[in-house]
Amino acid sequence: MAAEAGQSRHDHRRRARLGAQAGRTRGAAGARLAPCYSIPTCSIQAIHGRIGMRGFLIMAAAVLAASPAWALPAEAWQRDLTALREAYAATHPSPWHKLSRAEFDRMADRLAADIPSLDDRQVMARMIELIAATGEGHTRLTLPLPEDAGVFLGHAKTEAPKLPVFATLPIRLTAASDGYLVTAAAPEYRRLVGAALVSIDGKPVAAIEAAMLPLVNGDNAGMKRAYLPSFIMLPDLLRVRGLTAANEARWRFRFPSGREVEERLSALPDGADLAWAKEPDTPIFGLLPLDGGIVVARISEIGNAPDQSLAAFADKIYAAVDQTPDARLVIDLRGNPGGNNFLIDPVVRGAIARPALWKPGHLFVLIDAKTFSAAQNLVNAMERWTPALLVGEPTGGAPSSYGDSKRITLPESGLTLRVSSLYWQDTGPLDKRDATAPHVAAPRTVADLQTGRDPALAAIALLSRPQGSAQGSWAAPFTYVYRPATLRVRFGRDGGSFAVPELKLAETPFQSVTLNGSDVTATGKVRDSVFTLRAQSTAGGLVGWLDVNGRPYPFVAKRAAE
């Protein structure tokens, strides 16, 4: 069987090249032929009349060589679809918690009816869409890509399918909050690095997102959008989703100067060198001191490096904090896809044990739409046990979610289906959030990526700088027991008051208020709960937290009308 599978993949690659050559065949007048993906949909007489006998024989030879459009018969795809449906329902502990059984079956039944008229790529796209519709980051039909495509497909290795892998384009994109930027390119297209995507075959970015986002798995919309570039780089998917007519298309880009260029991009040939697409080898952990006593601890994966465990790195983090006067710690979890959540405790315990970090504006965690899985677990723990301020963009993971996916190989295509097998109720039963929102939003724009500016670190620099007096009125969005609310406070020499309208808490006097320049400490009581507020006025706002029954609820407030 192994030899047969290897031969099959070789044949598909050869057929793919013949199919691509057929797609470029021109008639005597030089007209480009419209792509034809199944013999019954083509009028043989019309084709013969347009290209003549010689051209017809060339194209017929390519068609009979069976391009990947016919790699699996319809009956085989039906068996794979049945296996996918059964495996998902049997493996997931709560398969219909987001997508109803009726809707899942409706989508699957429609695909089963359509399979005889679809080519392989169309069937795969529909199956990917079916699983993505379940609405989870850990449950997916894994894209069959070259191993060196430079795309994160999970921590565990995925076996090669029996079908040919998707060809990729000679560029790679990164999502920004307001667009998509070319961040890597094959040598002949290196001039495009730093340019923003404008359109593909005349379709604007909004149309591209509308067509492609349904294929992307994710716990929330932010995660789907963050990983969308991995799908946009696949010409076959662009074709089957109606964005292009063939594997070559007109791509339009805009440079920082405003100048726009148009390039014809086509699929890279099988076996193309993808060294340019590989992510640079960077350590899992990094420690960077910045001005103002800021210590940045970068954790790009929740795991142990070959030469250092996460526990040992945590020791280094807190040794640096201890050695830095008035240290402000920034734990950077942006882009962290997770790993082993049993390793996070030393990071959390170290923060809890440092009195120097229990001061307003001294502990931060950076998050974004690729902060996921075990990295989300670390965010959850920091949110619950420390006064850390979250800065950046909403996380890619839900605080409580399904994970620990099981691997299932579909029998005919060899495609890998991964299905969540465990529910991690990591916060509480009242927590219905699909992401953890930052206290301070600092999304990266296209312009930020082009210039190398880091808006999250810029925000932290302001939040770490005491400025002005805490006296006056302030308002802050914050999360109390997993519910979004608004904290309104007022401080003066004669005392102060607080209110939380969403919790039906009207303006209530503090029991005590102590003002000391930029710093303020206040105490209050709500029914049987006593709380303490600690905050500091900074260049970025009033930074602090409410300590309610021993649990900190951080906030960043802005000046409000008196």
Side-chain angles (χ1 to χ4, degrees):
M1 286 296 294
E4 292 172 2
Q7 181 63 39
S8 173
R9 287 192 292 271
H10 174 78
D11 288 346
H12 288 317
R13 287 194 292 267
R14 178 174 60 84
R15 292 166 186 165
R17 287 192 292 271
L18 288 172
Q21 291 166 5
R24 289 193 293 269
T25 304
R26 292 179 180 271
R32 181 179 295 275
L33 294 178
C36 177
Y37 297 105
S38 61
I39 293 175
T41 62
C42 298
S43 169
I44 293 179
Q45 294 86 351
I47 294 173
H48 181 277
R50 288 172 62 190
I51 65 176
M53 177 60 73
R54 182 173 180 276
F56 174 77
L57 290 175
I58 291 173
M59 192 187 76
V63 169
L64 294 175
S67 76
W70 302 278
L72 282 183
E75 297 79 8
W77 278 121
Q78 297 286 10
R79 288 191 288 273
D80 266 9
L81 178 58
T82 297
L84 179 147
R85 297 174 73 165
E86 293 176 351
Y88 174 70
T91 305
H92 200 290
S94 181
W96 321 119
H97 72 106
K98 281 191 175 180
L99 184 70
S100 70
R101 178 66 184 262
E103 180 61 15
F104 182 87
D105 285 343
R106 185 194 67 79
M107 293 177 68
D109 289 345
R110 183 180 295 175
L111 172 56
D114 292 344
I115 279 177
S117 63
L118 302 177
D119 67 41
D120 283 344
R121 297 315 201 197
Q122 290 171 321
V123 176
M124 277 190 274
R126 293 276 293 277
M127 291 172 72
I128 289 169
E129 182 179 15
L130 173 63
I131 292 300
T134 63
E136 286 186 18
H138 284 103
T139 296
R140 66 185 182 276
L141 188 63
T142 304
L143 289 171
L145 296 176
E147 286 188 15
D148 51 355
V151 174
F152 177 78
L153 294 177
H155 300 284
K157 179 178 174 60
T158 298
E159 295 299 322
K162 300 173 186 177
L163 296 169
V165 297
F166 280 113
T168 69
L169 288 162
I171 62 170
R172 296 292 181 269
L173 298 167
T174 296
S177 62
D178 57 349
Y180 301 88
L181 192 75
V182 180
T183 48
E188 59 270 35
Y189 293 100
R190 197 163 291 155
R191 62 187 177 277
L192 295 176
V193 172
L197 176 64
V198 174
S199 64
I200 301 175
D201 268 356
K203 280 88 169 180
V205 168
I208 298 167
E209 291 178 328
M212 301 296 287
L213 278 172
L215 302 178
V216 189
N217 60 292
D219 281 5
N220 53 54
M223 180 181 179
K224 287 173 173 280
R225 191 176 177 282
Y227 281 99
L228 180 59
S230 298
F231 293 72
I232 296 177
M233 74 173 193
L234 306 178
D236 277 327
L237 288 186
L238 296 176
R239 172 182 65 81
V240 302
R241 299 299 288 184
L243 293 170
T244 64
N247 282 351
E248 181 181 84
R250 295 175 293 106
W251 289 61
R252 193 163 190 83
F253 303 94
R254 181 180 298 114
F255 288 97
S257 64
R259 180 175 65 92
E260 294 191 1
V261 298
E262 190 169 278
E263 295 278 355
R264 297 198 72 88
L265 300 182
S266 57
L268 292 169
D270 182 47
D273 183 3
L274 295 176
W276 57 269
K278 184 181 178 183
E279 291 283 344
D281 290 328
T282 56
I284 294 177
F285 313 125
L287 206 56
L288 177 66
L290 299 178
D291 293 341
I294 296 173
V295 177
V296 179
R298 170 73 180 144
I299 303 175
S300 61
E301 183 178 334
I302 307 300
N304 294 323
D307 60 342
Q308 184 176 212
S309 67
L310 180 54
F313 181 62
D315 289 340
K316 287 187 177 180
I317 293 173
Y318 296 111
V321 169
D322 294 340
Q323 294 163 13
T324 303
D326 198 29
R328 286 123 195 292
L329 175 61
V330 179
I331 299 175
D332 189 352
L333 298 179
R334 292 175 297 180
N336 187 320
N340 183 351
N341 58 11
F342 289 106
L343 302 178
I344 66 175
D345 290 1
V347 180
V348 183
R349 287 200 306 266
I352 294 172
R354 293 299 183 292
L357 300 179
W358 286 76
K359 295 189 291 185
H362 282 66
L363 180 59
F364 303 89
V365 176
L366 302 186
I367 56 174
D368 68 5
K370 288 188 175 182
T371 304
F372 180 64
S373 193
Q376 177 68 53
N377 297 137
L378 179 50
V379 172
N380 295 342
M382 296 296 288
E383 181 184 42
R384 175 162 188 169
W385 299 111
T386 78
L389 287 171
L390 307 179
V391 181
E393 301 171 86
T395 57
S400 290
S401 63
Y402 292 87
D404 291 73
S405 58
K406 299 285 187 182
R407 184 174 66 190
I408 298 119
T409 302
L410 300 185
E412 301 293 340
S413 63
L415 292 171
T416 296
L417 172 67
R418 295 188 182 274
V419 181
S420 295
S421 65
L422 291 175
Y423 181 58
W424 289 87
Q425 188 173 297
D426 208 38
T427 51
L430 298 178
D431 191 354
K432 306 302 182 184
R433 296 173 295 171
D434 67 359
T436 301
H439 299 101
V440 178
R444 271 187 167 171
T445 64
V446 165
D448 291 328
L449 292 176
Q450 289 169 331
T451 61
R453 179 180 178 270
D454 190 331
L457 288 180
I460 287 173
L462 295 176
L463 296 169
S464 301
R465 193 168 75 236
Q467 179 176 296
S469 169
Q471 190 169 333
S473 296
W474 304 82
F478 82 125
T479 301
Y480 181 75
V481 194
Y482 318 122
R483 288 173 291 179
T486 303
L487 173 67
R488 299 183 181 279
V489 293
R490 181 184 60 81
F491 307 111
R493 295 298 174 185
D494 57 346
S497 61
F498 62 93
V500 184
E502 293 83 356
L503 303 182
K504 296 182 171 56
L505 182 60
E507 186 173 0
T508 304
F510 283 113
Q511 290 181 327
S512 68
V513 174
T514 303
L515 285 164
N516 183 15
S518 298
D519 299 319
V520 61
T521 302
T523 60
K525 185 176 182 179
V526 178
R527 292 181 284 276
D528 60 346
S529 294
V530 177
F531 68 86
T532 300
L533 181 149
R534 295 190 64 187
Q536 183 178 74
S537 176
T538 73
L542 186 73
V543 176
W545 69 90
L546 285 175
D547 189 306
V548 183
N549 297 324
R551 178 169 178 174
Y553 294 93
F555 61 83
V556 176
K558 299 296 183 183
R559 292 279 183 187
E562 295 289 345

